[in-house]
Amino acid sequence: MQTSSVPGRRLYLTLLVIIVVSLLASITMAESTGEASSEAKVHIIYTEKPTDDEEPKDYHLRTLSSALGSEEAAKDALIYSYKEAASGFSAKLTPEQVVEISKQPGVIQVVPSQTYQLHKPVGAGFKLT
């Protein structure tokens, strides 16, 4: 009697695993299309150069404050002010904030920040010195 229940038990466990995996996949897809889209991510905001009498960081905070509604929110979002090779700053922004900052005078371009991974060369005898 026990031997006949083993195939039934295997079928039950297989179906249970399929259901659990399906539920986990549904939850993961729902999270990736829902709340994650409004998550703040780092963006690079290229701006015109500030006037001679204004410090770049002050100009960047003023521009960011206009889009975010307060200087405190701008200070919290600002990550870095670029002032040598380019004029701009990096900030953590939601998609809605990206739209707002893009409308600000002096903002040239807003792009998502990207991290690139260096690949190690493959091959026998190749040495880094």
Side-chain angles (χ1 to χ4, degrees), residues 56-99:
K57 186 173 181 177
D58 295 336
Y59 175 69
H60 300 151
L61 281 171
R62 186 169 50 83
T63 303
L64 199 50
S65 295
S66 297
L68 302 185
S70 74
E71 188 174 338
E72 185 176 326
K75 286 180 179 178
D76 288 342
L78 184 69
I79 295 171
Y80 188 80
S81 281
Y82 302 98
K83 45 193 161 209
E84 300 301 326
S87 179
F89 57 95
S90 59
K92 201 165 188 180
L93 304 171
T94 65
E96 295 81 16
Q97 292 169 331
V98 169
V99 171

Side-chain angles (χ1 to χ4, degrees), residues 8-19:
R9 186 176 180 113
R10 283 186 185 160
L11 178 62
Y12 171 77
L13 289 175
T14 302
L15 288 174
L16 184 62
V17 167
I18 290 171
I19 290 170

